[in-house]
Amino acid sequence: MAHASFARRLAAVFLAGAVWAAALPLSAGAVNYSDVPADAWYRPYVSHLSDQGIIQGTGGGKFSPRGTLTRAAFITMLARSYLTAAQLKEYALQSAFKDVPTGHYGTPAINWAKENGVVSGVTASTFAPDRAVTRQEMAVMAVRFADTVGRRIPASTAAKAYSDASAITSYARDSVTRCQRAGILTGYQDNTFRPKGSATRAEAAALVDRFLQTTSFSSEYTILARRISGVPLKAVIFDPSKYKADLLTGRDVVDGAETASSMISRSGADIALNAAFFNMTNYQAVGTLIRDGEVLTTFESFSPEKSALTLDASGKFSVQKFSTRFAVELLPASDKEESSPPQRMENLVVNRWPSSDHDAARILFTRAWGHDLAFPAKDAVTIGPDGVILAVDHDKNVEIPEGCVVLAQRARRQYEGTFFDSCRVGDTIRILRSYEGLTSLDPVLSIGAGPQLVKNGAVYGGLSTYQAEGFTDKNITTYAARRIAVGVQKDGTLVLVTAEATLQALSQALVSLGCREAINFDGGGSANLYVDGFWLVGPQSRKLNTLLTFRK
């Protein structure tokens, strides 16, 4: 779909007037401060920001250009460049800092910045709102703000070694360098940066205006960092048709464990988030996984109630509830005319560990499991790409050749039947797969997760539906927790969200974001959401089992 129409749809949902438009011309009614001369070097910056409501005067028609800018004033300027007045008003709450009164003009902006990691305070409980902001603090706030809302900071010049570089506090050095390389906040003619120096209101206006004109948002996605329906969240909204979606497993095996950072690095993902729930003991996914049309593993304990995010062959994402069924039929080589009905086994699973030495589950193993079974199988039949049996083994671990499938069981049943005993090299095994309950085309990609949060554009689910999908832990069903969710808007736009919320509150927020359907993914210590160099949450140290990625 055309980018222009995509942007218009986003604007309709998110009131895009909140986003700074650096190229917007000055209005005829520009604010005219009595102490800002027409030929002052800073007048264009002050006028530009005043017209947008980003900076205000000090009263009596004055701007006080030589006045010292405070920490509260600077963070307020940044917040006003991103949020509308109505959105900022949502943060007129009791401050997290004891030295910021509820009625302080900077309280809403400080609350927003604290909630989104732009500021952390001068101590754990104080912000010093009325203290002069230092140059290194401005650099840190500006860079953290950019990283939070998705403004890209260019590196247009080489890094400079200031003569007083040792005076720059360690936490600020990277931010100072990024601002200097972008031409946003530079040093003085004597090659000093003066990190502890303060800025006048005129200098701050120039810095913020340069920052907003130098940095830019991506044209491919929108990053959201604000409250929706009272839920503090971060989200990335984008058109998935412009990306190649993929499902990665840790170390490229279904029970592998790997950090999000490692998987993003090796895949070159532009957008990524953790996906399925998994067993922390053996790292098996708690949900059926499909990649490139191939079933990587099955988990059917709560099917067909368990929901899944699917991508079908037409490129359409949806939330589906379905069961994945596998059966096999044995066609003896001697029965070329297929004159007698083939032997059949049903209810097979794919790439799962046997639960014990006595587990007689019939399992199909592929190279997504590994190079061998990793356990001694009572019966193992190696099936070639054309369905012809290549080997029949008993009481041993066997290799899984590339492109082949191994049909195996760890133990035999009391009433075993004759299927395995009838298998001979040269016979053919037909593998049958079906999806029951699917309302879309067959999935190219599918992630069994849940529970479902939005259905037909409305809040969906409660304790009974959560339990039907296999969720009984109150940390998931009842309490507020760190969440990851995926929403699908009516036009197919994807909304990837992270929030600290209950499932019900998150459901309402996703509806407010225009989602037709939405599903919950694994969260808590597994929560990772990455966008083109920005981490909206993460990177977490916990190793993951799966990662959903999007690459240009």
Side-chain angles (χ1 to χ4, degrees):
M1 64 186 72
H3 171 67
S5 61
F6 178 55
R8 284 194 294 272
R9 286 193 300 274
L10 289 177
V13 177
F14 304 117
L15 298 175
V19 180
W20 172 263
L24 194 65
L26 297 179
S27 66
V31 176
N32 189 18
Y33 298 111
S34 61
D35 56 352
V36 178
D39 59 350
W41 66 269
Y42 51 82
R43 181 179 176 85
Y45 307 120
V46 172
S47 296
H48 204 186
L49 297 184
S50 294
D51 283 347
Q52 304 307 312
I54 294 173
I55 199 168
Q56 296 178 347
T58 54
K62 295 183 180 297
F63 178 73
S64 304
R66 293 179 179 81
T68 300
L69 192 79
T70 65
R71 285 167 51 82
F74 185 70
I75 200 63
T76 297
M77 292 168 68
L78 292 178
R80 285 175 177 166
S81 76
Y82 180 68
L83 302 172
T84 64
Q87 291 166 355
L88 198 54
K89 191 175 181 180
E90 293 186 51
Y91 294 89
L93 311 166
Q94 182 176 347
S95 175
F97 299 109
K98 64 183 181 181
D99 61 343
V100 181
T102 302
H104 193 286
Y105 76 91
T107 296
I110 294 169
N111 283 342
W112 172 83
K114 176 69 166 62
E115 188 171 275
N116 287 282
V118 179
V119 300
S120 55
V122 295
T123 69
S125 60
T126 60
F127 183 75
D130 300 318
R131 197 201 74 192
V133 64
T134 66
R135 286 168 53 80
Q136 70 175 11
E137 287 173 341
M138 287 195 295
V140 170
M141 290 183 196
V143 167
R144 288 180 181 172
F145 172 79
D147 289 349
T148 295
V149 303
R151 296 194 77 105
R152 305 207 67 83
I153 301 176
S156 52
T157 61
K160 189 173 184 179
Y162 294 111
S163 60
D164 59 348
S166 61
I168 302 174
T169 307
S170 58
Y171 82 91
R173 287 171 188 163
D174 179 67
S175 296
V176 167
T177 297
R178 290 177 66 183
C179 285
Q180 174 262 308
R181 295 194 66 187
I184 295 168
L185 183 59
T186 57
Y188 293 88
Q189 290 184 350
D190 62 357
N191 197 37
T192 61
F193 181 76
R194 306 177 196 176
K196 308 300 194 302
S198 59
T200 65
R201 286 169 53 81
E203 290 170 337
L207 181 151
V208 171
D209 195 63
R210 282 198 301 268
F211 169 81
L212 295 172
Q213 295 194 52
T214 300
T215 62
S216 60
F217 291 109
S218 170
S219 61
E220 302 295 340
Y221 56 79
T222 293
I223 289 179
L224 191 68
R226 64 178 180 88
R227 294 190 172 205
I228 300 294
S229 297
V231 177
L233 57 76
K234 294 182 180 179
V236 56
I237 305 100
F238 64 101
D239 177 358
S241 69
K242 297 182 178 180
Y243 296 81
K244 171 66 169 67
D246 197 6
L247 176 62
L248 303 186
T249 55
R251 305 191 327 273
D252 288 329
V253 290
V254 295
D255 62 346
E258 188 176 353
T259 64
S261 296
S262 173
M263 284 194 272
I264 288 169
S265 176
R266 68 178 171 87
S267 68
D270 296 297
I271 300 173
L273 69 161
N274 58 281
F277 290 85
F278 59 93
N279 186 313
M280 289 289 291
T281 301
N282 58 21
Y283 268 76
Q284 290 194 114
V286 184
T288 295
L289 304 178
I290 300 172
R291 180 194 189 200
D292 292 334
E294 175 191 350
V295 176
L296 300 182
T297 185
T298 54
F299 181 87
E300 296 296 302
S301 297
F302 301 98
S303 297
E305 295 304 317
K306 191 171 185 63
S307 53
L309 179 72
T310 66
L311 172 67
D312 67 24
S314 71
K316 178 183 177 182
F317 276 94
S318 63
V319 177
Q320 296 283 332
K321 293 178 182 287
F322 64 98
S323 300
T324 304
R325 305 299 187 198
F326 276 89
V328 290
E329 292 180 344
L330 176 61
L331 307 173
S334 59
D335 189 9
K336 297 183 182 298
E337 302 298 326
E338 298 187 27
S339 57
S340 58
Q343 291 195 60
R344 183 181 177 98
M345 285 199 310
E346 298 185 345
N347 299 320
L348 281 72
V349 297
V350 178
N351 289 331
R352 307 295 299 188
W353 279 107
S355 60
S356 71
D357 292 347
H358 306 291
D359 186 353
R362 282 73 182 261
I363 310 172
L364 295 169
F365 290 97
T366 69
R367 284 296 284 268
W369 177 257
H371 287 80
D372 58 49
L373 298 183
F375 65 88
K378 181 64 179 178
D379 302 291
V381 179
T382 303
I383 307 167
D386 57 358
V388 175
I389 295 176
L390 304 179
V392 179
D393 294 288
H394 304 283
D395 299 310
K396 64 182 292 188
N397 179 26
V398 302
E399 293 185 359
I400 307 172
E402 187 70 47
C404 296
V405 176
V406 175
L407 168 61
Q409 58 183 7
R410 182 72 177 85
R412 287 203 167 191
R413 305 181 180 192
Q414 182 178 2
Y415 304 103
E416 175 61 34
T418 61
F419 190 97
F420 280 102
D421 289 336
S422 301
C423 290
R424 300 287 185 270
V425 172
D427 289 349
T428 296
I429 289 182
R430 181 186 298 149
I431 299 174
L432 307 172
R433 179 188 64 193
S434 63
Y435 299 117
E436 299 176 3
L438 195 67
T439 62
S440 68
L441 299 175
D442 281 0
V444 174
L445 179 151
S446 183
I447 301 164
Q452 185 169 3
L453 303 178
V454 177
K455 184 177 181 179
N456 297 325
V459 171
Y460 176 81
L463 191 58
S464 62
T465 62
Y466 302 159
Q467 291 175 343
E469 292 199 42
F471 297 99
T472 58
D473 185 345
K474 288 187 176 181
N475 290 316
I476 297 175
T477 64
T478 306
Y479 305 138
R482 171 57 56 186
R483 312 282 184 184
I484 293 287
V486 180
V488 185
Q489 294 180 349
K490 185 176 181 180
D491 63 1
T493 297
L494 285 188
V495 182
L496 313 184
V497 172
T498 179
E500 186 87 18
T502 65
L503 289 179
Q504 286 288 312
L506 184 56
S507 298
Q508 183 58 63
L510 287 160
V511 170
S512 298
L513 287 170
C515 295
R516 182 192 71 241
E517 299 174 321
I519 184 174
N520 181 65
F521 274 7
D522 193 10
S526 300
N528 291 270
L529 180 53
Y530 169 88
V531 186
D532 198 17
F534 304 110
W535 287 94
L536 303 192
V537 62
Q540 306 275 21
S541 59
R542 176 186 292 177
K543 292 182 178 180
L544 305 178
N545 176 244
T546 54
L547 194 76
L548 175 59
T549 66
F550 298 87
R551 185 175 179 181
K552 292 291 290 182

